[in-house]
Amino acid sequence: MNAAAVSPGVQGPNVISVKGFRIITQKLPILKAEPIEEMTKRLGIAPPEMIFGDNHVTVESEKKDWGITFNAFDALDRVDKTGTSMLRVAHSKEWQKSREKAHEGIKDVVKPFDWSYTTDYMGTVHPNSRPFETTTKPIPIELLKRPDPILFFDEVILYEDELADNGIAMLSCKIRVMPDRLLLLSRFFMRLDNVLIRLRDTRLYVDFESLVSLRSPAQPHRNARLIQQTLGSVPHWRASSRLSRAIMPRPGTAAETYVAYGMTQKLFEVCSSQADYSIPQLSQKGAQVPKTEAGEDLGVGEGWWYEDLGLIPTFSTWSQVTFLHMYLLTVRLRALPSYESLQTYSRHLIDHFSHNAEHRMDVLHGLTSRAIRNKFLKDLFIQWRGVLAAYDEGLVKGDAVLGAAVWRNLWKASHTGPHGEEMDWTKVARVVAYMRRVISELSQINEADLILHIGPRPGGKPGIFGYSELDKQLVDGKR
């Protein structure tokens, strides 16, 4: 595995040893900017949108005399860079017909490299390992059909790209370990909407007793046909709701990971927008960014968090309001069908926050040192864990405890407002009422429909997140 493409400070892999063999898998978040830049230089092509450069699956003998690894860098290094395998005129014309306005300029090729990231990768054999030899011996399917206990199973994503919103390309590995054998499936799947479906599978079979390993590649592809379904006069948001519930993947599958990543990105964007802010001085040459008494950069923000509640538009306020909304979503996500699903969605949600927070530190606040940003990100993660514990306690013990947690996090446990005035406790009460209302309304929404309801709806109608007169009326005793 190429060490230069791996980000620092990653957690340890999963390891299992069976009859002289070690099986290792590692699943970590998407690479950040610096490792991606290094990978781009080494590959000579732009990597996919979602590159899991730290992920890998390795099978090796404990004697270190044989081994094979599946990783993203080596797979992408097998993508065609010469132009001989690109999708050419025949496919481009079909694609162009379905998108005449958007793709009028397609000529010979669409991009200067195989932009579908199609790879013939069959794993990286370790140095000093005996190479695979051509054989007519098939993988023993009958042995794999036996109801042997599964000692270990994992599914690892290596990379994914949405092909500029025109399809999908992904490479993933599944591995199943039994007492006497294992089977690994490395699958490249590519769908170009209305044009092509490509599937390339590599299966690795290892028999622990006879010390035999077999590798079987397959490379079919098919033309795709557009599948249309008429939803009649059903309103758009209801049609979307029905469709989203129909296509929600089963818990624990690779498809769920893909869906969770995209869905949590949209959910996070709504959370982040609630107390968003800007630094106007950045676009003004020579202008000084104003500071708060605590030394934070003071920005400009809109919305009820700033205008009604009087919070100061700073990075810390944005992070705490975003945390609050992430917490409200987390409460709803705890009702997912399995604990594994909750972990998947929660991990992606905090990953999106970390990436956005690091971007803000760099772009809005001039923290160009990666070491300093990492320190702040670690502090933020600790704060997030504290937010979960504090708000959970408040939900269980009552509004007084929840209000105290809100006061500590949003108002930094201050008895005075930002301008020295006495603290207005009705503002804390309004946030508590807001949290209770949002949790109640989220509980009535199917998880597949969350993104349709939490943000602003068509026609300018407010979503579940955001100001509501009901919260104010409840606090004022008018409800």
Side-chain angles (χ1 to χ4, degrees):
M1 187 173 180
N2 192 288
V6 179
S7 59
V10 297
Q11 63 190 43
N14 301 312
V15 182
I16 181 174
S17 296
V18 183
K19 295 184 177 180
F21 284 84
R22 294 175 73 241
I23 297 91
I24 307 166
T25 66
Q26 181 155 274
K27 295 192 292 186
L28 291 166
I30 295 171
L31 286 185
K32 295 188 178 180
E34 290 184 12
I36 289 177
E37 290 176 4
E38 178 65 22
M39 178 177 283
T40 302
K41 292 177 183 177
R42 297 182 65 86
L43 288 174
I45 61 173
E49 294 171 342
M50 289 179 277
I51 174 71
F52 298 86
D54 295 323
N55 290 6
H56 68 91
V57 179
T58 297
V59 180
E60 62 184 10
S61 69
E62 292 183 339
K63 296 179 181 179
K64 301 291 185 179
D65 57 356
W66 181 87
I68 186 170
T69 294
F70 292 79
N71 66 79
F73 180 88
D74 292 339
L76 289 169
D77 204 30
R78 298 287 303 176
V79 171
D80 176 61
K81 305 171 189 177
T82 66
T84 58
S85 300
M86 295 187 201
L87 296 178
R88 292 183 177 272
V89 174
H91 296 309
S92 298
K93 285 182 177 178
E94 293 182 41
W95 191 18
Q96 188 176 7
K97 287 178 182 178
S98 65
R99 295 171 176 81
E100 292 180 356
K101 293 182 179 179
H103 300 283
E104 291 178 353
I106 294 178
K107 300 296 183 184
D108 187 48
V109 295
V110 180
K111 291 187 179 180
F113 65 94
D114 188 356
W115 52 275
S116 70
Y117 296 104
T118 299
T119 180
D120 59 0
Y121 182 59
M122 295 190 292
T124 304
V125 179
H126 293 188
N128 303 321
S129 295
R130 182 178 177 181
F132 285 92
E133 299 175 356
T134 302
T135 179
T136 58
K137 185 177 181 180
I139 290 177
I141 301 300
E142 293 303 319
L143 291 179
L144 293 170
K145 289 181 179 179
R146 292 180 179 179
D148 296 332
I150 297 176
L151 305 179
F152 178 77
F153 174 83
D154 208 351
E155 189 166 10
V156 179
I157 306 167
L158 298 181
Y159 65 78
E160 178 182 351
D161 192 276
E162 294 183 352
L163 306 181
D165 293 328
N166 293 296
I168 190 170
M170 68 179 80
L171 179 66
S172 63
C173 292
K174 292 183 181 180
I175 187 166
R176 175 169 53 124
V177 182
M178 287 76 71
D180 297 322
R181 59 192 60 85
L182 70 79
L183 180 67
L184 181 150
L185 170 64
S186 173
R187 169 167 289 175
F188 173 81
F189 172 79
M190 189 272 286
R191 185 197 74 244
L192 183 59
D193 292 343
N194 308 331
V195 177
L196 185 73
I197 292 176
R198 179 174 288 158
L199 189 68
R200 292 188 173 182
D201 287 352
T202 295
R203 289 176 173 83
L204 174 70
Y205 171 83
V206 178
D207 191 302
F208 303 140
E209 297 290 344
S210 60
L211 304 181
V212 171
S213 59
L214 300 172
R215 186 170 61 177
S216 172
Q219 301 181 359
H221 73 266
R222 298 180 177 87
N223 289 331
R225 296 181 60 190
L226 179 63
I227 300 175
Q228 296 179 330
Q229 180 180 11
T230 302
L231 295 174
S233 59
V234 179
H236 173 72
W237 70 270
R238 290 186 180 176
S240 300
S241 174
R242 291 182 182 180
L243 181 60
S244 62
R245 286 196 294 270
I247 65 175
M248 279 294 283
R250 289 177 295 174
T253 63
E256 183 185 43
T257 302
Y258 305 141
V259 171
Y261 178 86
M263 180 179 289
T264 51
Q265 183 176 34
K266 296 299 183 183
L267 294 174
F268 170 76
E269 288 172 0
V270 180
C271 294
S272 175
S273 67
Q274 301 305 308
D276 204 0
Y277 66 99
S278 62
I279 308 288
Q281 290 78 12
L282 293 178
S283 60
Q284 302 169 8
K285 187 175 181 180
Q288 293 292 322
V289 178
K291 304 285 186 179
T292 66
E293 291 184 0
E296 288 187 86
D297 290 345
L298 182 61
V300 175
E302 298 178 348
W304 80 289
W305 294 96
Y306 297 130
E307 296 169 356
D308 291 10
L309 300 181
L311 296 173
I312 303 175
T314 62
F315 178 89
S316 62
T317 298
W318 167 82
S319 63
Q320 286 299 328
V321 174
T322 302
F323 277 161
L324 184 145
H325 289 86
M326 289 168 58
Y327 171 77
L328 297 175
L329 282 176
T330 300
V331 172
R332 173 60 186 85
L333 294 175
R334 286 170 178 166
L336 286 170
S338 70
Y339 179 68
E340 290 75 15
S341 295
L342 171 61
Q343 284 187 312
T344 299
Y345 279 79
S346 299
R347 183 177 68 251
H348 285 309
L349 193 61
I350 191 62
D351 282 347
H352 291 310
F353 172 85
S354 298
H355 294 158
N356 190 285
E358 185 174 16
H359 177 76
R360 286 173 185 265
M361 292 178 199
D362 185 10
V363 176
L364 295 183
H365 302 285
L367 293 179
T368 57
S369 170
R370 185 176 180 83
I372 295 177
R373 294 200 304 267
N374 283 340
K375 179 181 180 300
F376 279 118
L377 288 174
K378 290 178 181 178
D379 291 342
L380 286 168
F381 182 74
I382 294 173
Q383 291 178 32
W384 168 240
R385 305 300 296 180
V387 163
L388 290 173
Y391 290 158
D392 276 347
E393 182 184 25
L395 285 184
V396 173
K397 293 186 176 180
D399 289 348
V401 177
L402 182 57
V406 168
W407 172 59
R408 290 194 304 271
N409 290 322
L410 297 186
W411 279 273
K412 301 181 180 179
S414 175
H415 290 275
T416 60
H419 305 294
E421 72 278 12
E422 186 176 347
M423 180 68 195
D424 184 354
W425 296 102
T426 60
K427 294 178 179 178
V428 177
R430 287 178 63 183
V431 176
V432 172
Y434 172 80
M435 294 177 70
R436 294 286 188 185
R437 173 184 62 81
V438 169
I439 289 174
S440 175
E441 293 183 12
L442 289 178
S443 68
Q444 303 172 44
I445 305 298
N446 185 285
E447 56 265 17
D449 299 334
L450 287 174
I451 193 59
L452 302 174
H453 292 272
I454 64 172
R457 298 181 185 177
K461 295 182 179 180
I464 295 176
F465 284 177
Y467 174 78
S468 172
E469 277 293 331
L470 295 177
D471 307 327
K472 186 174 184 297
Q473 291 173 9
L474 180 63
V475 174
D476 294 341
K478 298 179 181 179
R479 184 179 176 187

